[in-house]
Every structure is written in C-alpha cells, then in structure tokens.
Amino acid sequence: MVEEFFELFKTPWEFYRPGRAYDVVVASADEVSEVGTKLLVVYGSAAKSIDGRIGIVAGGRQQCAILSDGNISLPIYGDLLTFENSNNGTSCVTAGSQIAGVRVEVRDSAVIRLGYDLFDQVRFLLSTGQPIEHAHIPTLDIHIRMLRDWILNEGIPLLEIPPTPAGHSFAVCLTHDIDFVGIRNHKFDHTMWGFVYRATVGAVVNLFRGRISMGQLVKCWRAVPSLPLVYAGWAKDFWEPFEWYLEVEKGLATTYFLIPFKGRAGEQVPGAHASWRAVAYEVDDLSHWTGRLKAAGCELGVHGIDAWHSAEKGRAELAKIAEISGESNIGIRMHWLLRDANTISVLEQSGYSYDSTMGYNETIGYRSGTAQVFRPLSAKTLLEIPLHIQDGALFYPQRLDLSEAEAEKRCQALIDNAGEFGGVLTLLWHDRSHGPERFWGDFYLRLVQQLKSSDSWFATASQAAGWFRKRREMRFEWLADGNGVRTILASEGEKNLPLLNLRVYRPSIARDDVRPSSSATPTLVDIPWDGRTAVEFDSSLSRISDLPVAMSASEISR
Ligand SMILES: [Zn+2]
C-alpha cells in the first residue's frame, strides 16, 4: 500500500532507516521515536507515543467524517480521531467544528499530526472504492496534494514525477462498450420492444420534459416504422455505431471493447434480468469493421462476459479478441461492469494487461478516488484504468437523469480536476447512444470538442496504461554521498509515448522564514525527460549532471 501510494505520489522515498537524515518522515506506526527531520507527518486514528511528547491531546472519535482544510471537502473512511484545542499547535485540518489535524513546532522542526491513517484510506479507495455520494471527490488525489502542500509549506524542495505526460495536463481515454452494433440484430426481442416504447410514448414524455427537440421526436417516429426496412436491409441501421464514431473521433485515439461470444448472458449474474445480459453479436461478425477500426489506429479490447469470475473463460475471451486485434497486450472492461473481490486476480491469471471496469453505473466520478492509472493491491502487473464518465449514468431516467446543461456542468468539474491533478480522464459512450431514441451524440460531440481544445493527450487505453507503466519503471537512486538523487528509467517499455516530466518544486523563501500560514508559492520547473540519461540532482534539487544510462547503470551496480 505504501509502495503503491508512492507510485501515485512519485517522489524519492524509502522505508525509514534509523540514522539516515530525511527532509520528511511520514509515520503511521503507534510508536514514533525521535527522528531528526524537518517535517514529521504522523497519520493514525489510534493514540501515538509522540502525542504526549509534543502536547497533543486526543478528543473524540468520528465515523466517516468529512474533512476540510479551507477549500476542499475530503471524506475519511473508517475511524477519525479528533484533537483538543490547545495553545501548543495550530489546526490545519478540521472535521466540522472539530480539529482533525494539528501542526506543532518542536525545536527547529515541525510535526503534523492527522487523526486518520493515510494508508488505510489508500487501501479502502483502491479496493472497495468510494460510495456513490462521494463519487465527485477525487479523494486520493486530494490526499496527495495535501501531503505535497505540507512539505512545500515548510520550505522543503520537492522532486516529483507528476501523473501528466510532458506537454500535456492530463490524458483522455475515449472508450466504447459495444453491446448492440445495430438494431438489425434485435427482431422482436426485449431490446426491440423497449426501443419501440421509448421511441414513441417515451419520446413524447421526453419532449415535454425538454430532453429532446421536436425534430428529434420526428426522427423517433420515423425510425419506428422504418424497422421492417432496416431488417430487410433496405434502410440504414440507425444504431450502427462505427461510421459515426470514426467520423467524430477522426485522428483521435479510441478504444472499443467488443463482445467475444454472442448469446451468453454469463454465469453468476445478479439481478432479475440476468438473461438480458446476453448480446446478439460477437466480434467474429464484425470482420468488415474491425479491419477499418485497426486501420484508423483504434484499439480493440475485450468486453468481458465471464472473465470477471473465471480465469478459464477469461482466457478464452482474451484469445478471441487477440486473434482479431493481432496485439499481445489486451485489456478488458466487463459488460455491466460486473466485478467482485477476486476479479483482479482472475483477470491477471487470464493474462490481461489492464482492466477498466472500476467505475460506476449509477453516477460519474472517482470510484477509486483518483484519475491515475494504478496497480490494484491484489495485482502484480495488471493496471487499472479507472472509468469516470459514462453516458448512461448521466442521462438514464433511473440514473442521474440530467439535462444536457446539468451534465455539462458535472463533466466540466471532472475536466477541471483532471487539469489540476493530472491522470487519465476515461469516457465511456455506448454504441447506440448517438442514434434514436437516445440522441446523446451531440452532447458527446461537444464534450470531445471541449477536450480537444484543452492540452490533453488522447490515448488508447493501452497507451495510457503504457505511459503509466513507464512512469512506474522510473526509479530514484540516492547519490553515493547521500546528498542528492538520480533518476533512472529501469526499462523503457513501449516506444512512441509522451515523455515523463521531472518536476522540481523549489520554495521561494528560505525555510527559516516559513510559517504555516505562508502563502509564498514555490516555483515549479518541469524537465521533460526521455529516460536516455540519468539526471542527477543535489540536495537542493539543482540539476548537477546528466549521465548516459549505461554509465550510470555500471556505477549503480558498483
Ligand atoms: Zn456492456
């Protein structure tokens, strides 16, 4: 958990070794010995041996509290310890009217004591995930920002590899789960009757609710009687997805998750309508399209049926898509987003390189509290690309049921967060959403335009995972004299990905002048880095040399 946290907050660190000098020590143990450091951050909801020594008095306990540090709300899962007001320290985090974090000055160092365990929070977020009511909060990304701010506020310089490809503020994954391919595959089944109802009665209701225009109502009413012609092959199938998406996403990297086997509802599917999960097409029926998609640079992934609970079936689903895509790195998103506690291990056994199921059907936001690609705690190599925005959650009457204006506001908040925190913003637009009776195509078009006008990097899911893998392959080595650090790229991995950024924060004022209320913002320098040299920084994070990697490798082995 600690290791994963410092893959997400990627900065030089190591497990504490007595006798070594550190700028910052982060502790969650109950016994915290005297450590000579500029900043000691102590996390935990249990009493700590250090509390008495620095005059901190524990107050009451809260469950599932909401923290605030002035401008943010941050849910804490599980126990929170609060502290009594004392003149010994200053409150830096509150929970309602209670103090949840205190900063105390001890001789010439600072201690920040928080009433929760950061690493318990990480465990909860990356495994269970946030409840729907907190979906909109990038909780884990805020934890990282808080720790970074505390370090910088003490006037300590910081080296970080941010989750932002060089030259971009964040990455975008446009993804499509292909569940239908067309209405042609649905003659007199529940899908067709559902459409007929929604495109006639439902469309009138939606007109009165202001959700569709008169023109769209007319389109619905034309679509229904055209069904026999569509079935006969004489009229265009208005649900056909690929032509439309290829046009809208021209030149942008896109990922399609395709069903490997038709007619399979899957085993262990919960709910009353489990049989509805069966899909009427399979990837073999799409030979005309899969070639065109590949030629357009799109990625083909697995839209999994049984892979979430059976490694044997997971392997068969993977093999089916790999045969058609011709790629060795295959990713997956589960149909209906089904998953359980074992899913990640099962997927890893099946050989998937990434999963992108961690999201919500009910709402949009951050199930894992982050937009970063991460390694789930039960995985060895598999990465999770969290899913953030999906069409059905925004617009279905039984989900958020938003108007386009409201949906735009919600999406904009996530885009703003991506600009601030980096990571990958993952969108899911389903295959028949552009056509009648949904008409969610214009909204999607505007959303894509909005993202194109930002400085985001459009990546296929596999490219996004590859970039984050490269970032994980980036290691820090301490210089031999202990006064500095060197960055090395352990393995380059996939080529043709954006560079990593070496970000150096340098405090603008000397540490002696710093007080917790200091508003002096540190200067920030980004150094795009291709990994071909080992870059050395001294202890004040001035860049002292660039060594060819081969040379630094031999030096390191010495
Ligand atoms: Zn699906």
Side-chain angles (χ1 to χ4, degrees):
M1 224 133 39
V2 174
E3 281 168 354
E4 188 56 26
F5 177 79
F6 284 108
E7 288 294 348
L8 306 180
F9 179 29
K10 186 118 186 163
T11 189
W13 75 285
E14 65 180 7
F15 283 106
Y16 181 76
R17 289 193 278 163
R20 297 258 294 182
Y22 299 99
D23 282 341
V24 183
V25 173
V26 175
S28 60
D30 292 342
E31 292 292 328
V32 182
S33 53
E34 298 266 356
V35 290
T37 178
K38 292 175 189 166
L39 173 65
L40 171 63
V41 184
V42 182
Y43 286 103
S45 59
K48 306 284 172 184
S49 63
I50 193 173
D51 293 348
R53 290 208 303 276
I54 61 173
I56 285 181
V57 181
R61 269 170 198 289
Q62 294 186 13
Q63 277 288 315
C64 302
I66 302 287
L67 294 191
S68 161
D69 80 341
N71 49 26
I72 53 106
S73 293
L74 182 72
I76 293 296
Y77 299 103
D79 257 6
L80 173 76
L81 179 69
T82 62
F83 304 104
E84 295 290 333
N85 214 338
S86 80
N87 26 15
N88 209 18
T90 38
S91 158
C92 54
V93 185
T94 55
S97 59
Q98 306 290 307
I99 299 169
V102 194
R103 178 183 180 278
V104 182
E105 283 185 28
V106 185
R107 290 185 291 279
D108 58 349
S109 68
V111 179
I112 295 180
R113 172 74 167 99
L114 290 313
Y116 56 91
D117 188 325
L118 173 66
F119 302 108
D120 282 349
Q121 301 302 308
V122 175
R123 183 210 320 262
F124 179 85
L125 291 166
L126 296 190
S127 47
T128 310
Q130 304 198 95
I132 289 162
E133 65 263 33
H134 297 145
H136 61 291
I137 307 175
T139 304
L140 182 45
D141 297 336
I142 294 173
H143 278 298
I144 292 170
R145 183 182 67 188
M146 286 167 83
L147 181 54
R148 182 194 300 115
D149 285 351
W150 292 326
I151 294 169
L152 298 175
N153 284 344
E154 297 299 332
I156 300 167
L158 184 73
L159 172 62
E160 185 181 355
I161 315 301
T164 51
H168 306 276
S169 295
F170 60 99
V172 173
C173 277
L174 304 177
T175 71
H176 307 298
D177 292 359
I178 303 300
D179 295 336
F180 299 93
V181 174
I183 198 163
R184 196 165 283 151
N185 296 324
H186 296 273
K187 280 186 202 125
F188 307 109
D189 65 359
H190 73 94
T191 298
M192 188 204 83
W193 292 119
F195 168 73
V196 168
Y197 175 79
R198 290 189 307 270
T200 51
V201 182
V204 174
V205 174
N206 276 335
L207 178 76
F208 282 109
R209 294 179 72 223
R211 294 296 159 86
I212 61 168
S213 66
M214 195 62 205
Q216 287 170 329
L217 178 76
V218 171
K219 274 191 190 161
C220 277
W221 284 6
R222 281 200 189 131
V224 175
S226 79
L227 277 175
L229 300 178
V230 172
Y231 293 146
W234 297 338
K236 188 176 178 308
D237 191 332
F238 44 84
W239 278 8
E240 196 289 308
F242 301 112
E243 199 83 65
W244 192 83
Y245 279 120
L246 280 168
E247 181 61 35
V248 166
E249 295 165 342
K250 203 174 265 171
L252 302 175
T254 304
T255 306
Y256 289 85
F257 293 104
L258 305 173
I259 295 284
F261 303 111
K262 68 175 127 190
R264 295 191 190 174
E267 292 156 15
Q268 302 181 29
V269 180
H273 299 300
S275 66
W276 290 11
R277 192 164 174 263
V279 170
Y281 86 94
E282 63 189 23
V283 68
D284 278 342
D285 303 339
L286 301 181
S287 52
H288 167 65
W289 286 112
T290 46
R292 275 191 67 184
L293 294 176
K294 281 195 290 180
C298 303
E299 179 188 343
L300 309 182
V302 175
H303 200 28
I305 304 284
D306 282 307
W308 64 281
H309 63 81
S310 159
E312 189 195 333
K313 294 193 160 135
R315 275 190 286 270
E317 294 178 9
L318 185 152
K320 187 86 232 167
I321 300 294
E323 177 194 322
I324 282 157
S325 80
E327 299 287 331
S328 50
N329 281 343
I330 300 288
I332 187 165
R333 177 180 295 136
M334 236 55 71
H335 188 35
W336 290 17
L337 304 187
L338 295 188
R339 56 191 285 278
D340 67 15
N342 295 323
T343 294
I344 291 296
S345 317
V346 172
L347 292 179
E348 191 156 69
Q349 282 173 44
S350 311
Y352 289 94
S353 105
Y354 70 83
D355 170 64
S356 186
T357 305
M358 195 73 168
Y360 302 98
N361 277 318
E362 300 84 351
T363 187
I364 67 170
Y366 310 91
R367 188 164 196 142
S368 311
T370 184
Q372 289 204 43
V373 175
F374 62 91
R375 182 169 62 89
L377 302 172
S378 53
K380 290 187 186 70
T381 59
L382 179 135
L383 296 183
E384 179 69 33
I385 304 173
L387 165 65
H388 302 108
I389 297 178
Q390 73 148 309
D391 49 1
L394 289 168
F395 298 121
Y396 272 141
Q398 61 276 32
R399 306 295 193 202
L400 292 174
D401 192 24
L402 302 176
S403 69
E404 289 198 359
E406 291 164 330
E408 215 163 302
K409 247 176 48 207
R410 296 265 194 131
C411 293
Q412 188 60 50
L414 268 65
I415 296 172
D416 292 346
N417 285 339
E420 179 179 355
F421 296 109
V424 183
L425 188 64
T426 309
L427 274 63
L428 159 57
W429 231 251
H430 282 84
D431 55 333
R432 63 184 188 80
S433 296
H434 64 293
E437 79 303 344
R438 289 182 175 172
F439 300 116
W440 301 338
D442 288 347
F443 182 90
Y444 182 69
L445 210 74
R446 289 200 302 276
L447 193 56
V448 170
Q449 280 305 332
Q450 168 78 354
L451 289 164
K452 274 169 84 171
S453 68
S454 73
D455 64 352
S456 54
W457 171 48
F458 285 83
T460 62
S462 186
Q463 287 169 336
W467 187 86
F468 274 86
R469 240 180 250 289
K470 179 162 88 167
R471 178 172 174 245
R472 301 173 76 91
E473 287 296 329
M474 193 261 128
R475 308 273 155 82
F476 299 103
E477 304 273 347
W478 305 115
L479 299 189
D481 62 1
N483 281 323
V485 74
R486 150 196 316 127
T487 63
I488 58 163
L489 196 59
S491 134
E492 196 185 359
E494 202 182 320
K495 299 231 163 47
N496 302 323
L497 294 172
L499 302 184
L500 299 171
N501 254 335
L502 310 180
R503 177 167 292 176
V504 178
Y505 294 92
R506 224 174 264 115
S508 50
I509 42 173
R511 182 171 182 271
D512 296 347
D513 304 333
V514 172
R515 290 294 168 263
S517 59
S518 165
S519 58
T521 39
T523 56
L524 177 160
V525 181
D526 276 339
I527 307 168
W529 180 59
D530 63 9
R532 268 185 245 145
T533 57
V535 182
E536 293 190 344
F537 296 89
D538 66 13
S539 54
S540 64
L541 295 184
S542 296
R543 185 175 178 174
I544 46 178
S545 60
D546 282 35
L547 306 173
V549 164
M551 186 175 149
S552 73
S554 65
E555 194 176 318
I556 289 157
S557 65
R558 261 190 275 136

